[in-house]
């Protein structure tokens, strides 16, 4: 959201809350701006309005909350307190929690998807993108259609009867993971649209060497917060998400997850990034907070 501009604020017709001002018949389409990178990687950006400022944020399902960088357009938002923001590298930053009003996803069809009041984390400095995290989508059901480049709220189900439960991750169960098989090994992968490509804990690589082929011995990746992560790049033989959802020869960064193991747990050595996520069209359903579900259909 570094390129925010001041605009007139139109009426926000849809308030996304537990009660829901609109029913499931009010279809809204949010364009996804997709960028492409190396090894099949990429990023997803959405047009977001904060009050009377409009810009873009990176969709990050690997973040439990949203994060913005301190900038002229948001400096007047008063602090509600302070919290620690931790990235994929394990780096922690002390930031302010601020409340914004009329935060909305800009729709190309139907109503904007909005929250009347929304608490975000504002950090004094960051080299990365502003991130739209999972809590914005509380009580919502939507699809990510990579074929059409659209996020669709309140549309038709992706594939009736195919929903599977997310594995809730993190000490507060605010992150979501997908059960999978890596070869003959059962594991869990964090669903993370904010990761440009998949990642795997180096400890898992050491225990399953036959599953990986080294592609690049010395490389570096940039986390969503701008922190450089020293890594190797491997090609994985096969990840199986169940029900025929199999992806072969997928690239992944490998590094020591370190503090992430405490956050994700010992059975989640994978981060499922854009290069896997974009191979499917997804339906994500958070209407039941303690039992969210997902579905995916190969493109």
């Amino acid at each position: 959201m570094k390129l925010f501009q001041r605009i007139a604020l139109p009426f926000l017709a849809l308030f996304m809350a537990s009660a829901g001002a609109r029913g499931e018949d009010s279809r809204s389409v949010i364009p996804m701006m997709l960028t492409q990178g190396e090894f099949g990687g990429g990023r997803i950006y959405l047009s977001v309005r904060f009050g009377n400022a409009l810009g873009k944020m990176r969709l990050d399902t690997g973040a439990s909350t949203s994060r913005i960088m301190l900038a002229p357009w948001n400096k007047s938002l008063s602090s509600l307190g302070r919290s620690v923001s931790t990235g994929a590298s394990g780096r922690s930053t002390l930031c302010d929690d601020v409340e914004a009003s009329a935060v909305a996803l800009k729709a190309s069809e139907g109503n904007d998807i909005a929250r009347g009041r929304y608490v975000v984390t504002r950090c004094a400095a960051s080299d990365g993108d502003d991130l739209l995290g999972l809590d914005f989508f509380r009580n919502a059901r939507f699809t990510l259609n990579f074929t059409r480049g659209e996020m669709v709220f309140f549309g038709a189900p992706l594939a009736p009867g195919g929903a599977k439960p997310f594995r809730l991750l993190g000490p507060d169960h605010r992150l979501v993971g997908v059960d999978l098989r890596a070869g003959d090994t059962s594991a869990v992968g964090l669903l993370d649209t904010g990761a440009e490509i998949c990642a795997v804990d180096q400890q898992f690589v050491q225990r399953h060497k036959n599953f990986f082929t080294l592609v690049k011995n010395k490389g570096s990746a940039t986390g969503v917060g701008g922190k450089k992560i020293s890594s190797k790049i491997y090609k994985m033989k096969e990840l199986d998400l169940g029900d025929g959802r199999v992806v072969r020869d997928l690239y992944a960064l490998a590094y020591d997850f370190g503090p992430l193991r405490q956050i994700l747990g010992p059975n989640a050595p994978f981060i499922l990034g854009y290069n896997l996520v974009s191979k499917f069209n997804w339906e994500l359903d958070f209407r039941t907070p303690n039992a969210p579900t997902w579905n995916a259909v190969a493109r």
Side-chain angles (χ1 to χ4, degrees), residues 7-287:
I7 63 169
L9 177 63
F11 176 64
L12 299 177
L14 181 61
F15 175 59
M16 220 176 66
S18 56
R22 298 276 177 164
E24 293 270 321
D25 58 344
S26 182
R27 182 175 181 269
S28 292
V29 177
I30 312 298
M32 298 193 301
M33 296 166 276
L34 307 177
T35 69
Q36 306 299 321
E38 290 186 294
F39 305 109
R43 302 180 181 186
I44 306 168
Y45 292 99
L46 306 171
S47 291
V48 184
R49 178 184 295 114
F50 272 72
N52 61 351
L54 178 66
K56 66 179 183 179
M57 295 183 78
R58 186 170 167 184
L59 178 63
D60 188 5
T61 60
S64 59
T65 59
S66 296
R67 189 185 70 202
I68 58 177
M69 184 178 70
L70 179 63
W73 67 268
N74 64 53
K75 67 180 182 180
S76 63
L77 299 178
S78 59
S79 176
L80 302 176
R82 309 207 79 187
S83 63
V84 175
S85 177
T86 303
S89 66
R91 178 189 181 188
S92 296
T93 306
L94 187 62
C95 302
D96 289 318
D97 293 326
V98 299
E99 184 177 74
S101 59
V103 179
L105 298 178
K106 189 83 171 69
S108 60
E109 299 178 31
N111 299 304
D112 290 353
I113 300 297
R115 287 196 176 277
R117 294 191 178 279
Y118 182 52
V119 176
V120 299
T121 300
R122 183 183 63 194
C123 300
S126 172
D127 295 326
D129 294 312
D130 291 328
L131 309 175
L132 189 66
L134 272 184
D135 66 337
F136 184 85
F137 304 99
R138 186 175 63 251
N139 304 307
R141 178 182 69 86
F142 59 94
T143 58
L144 299 176
N145 190 318
F146 287 89
T147 304
R148 297 175 58 89
E150 295 175 343
M151 172 185 279
V152 181
F153 289 80
F154 315 131
L158 184 64
K164 298 171 71 71
F166 274 118
R167 181 73 67 91
L168 298 180
L169 301 175
D172 51 9
H173 290 175
R174 291 196 296 166
L175 297 173
V176 292
V178 173
D179 289 301
L180 56 84
R181 292 191 66 83
D184 296 328
T185 304
S186 296
V188 178
L190 173 71
L191 186 68
D192 188 359
T193 59
E196 291 192 50
I197 70 171
C198 294
V200 58
D201 192 344
Q202 187 66 48
Q203 288 190 0
F204 187 90
V205 176
Q206 292 301 114
R207 294 195 299 265
H208 303 87
K209 293 181 180 179
N210 292 335
F211 183 75
F212 299 91
T213 301
L214 183 62
V215 174
K216 190 173 182 180
N217 190 49
K218 291 184 178 181
S220 65
T222 303
V224 289
K227 172 71 174 179
K228 290 291 184 181
I229 303 170
S230 179
S231 63
K232 296 180 180 180
I233 298 177
Y234 288 89
K235 183 181 286 186
M236 301 184 288
K237 287 185 178 180
E238 176 181 292
L239 289 185
D240 185 349
L241 307 186
D243 297 332
R245 305 181 188 93
V246 178
V247 182
R248 297 180 175 87
D249 297 328
L250 196 69
Y251 293 101
L253 302 170
Y255 58 92
D256 184 357
F257 275 19
L260 285 182
R261 289 191 209 102
Q262 298 178 16
I263 297 174
L264 301 180
N267 299 319
F270 290 94
I271 294 174
L272 306 181
Y274 181 95
N275 61 327
L276 180 142
V277 175
S278 62
K279 293 185 180 297
F280 301 91
N281 292 325
W282 296 76
E283 180 175 4
L284 308 182
D285 191 341
F286 297 103
R287 291 174 297 178

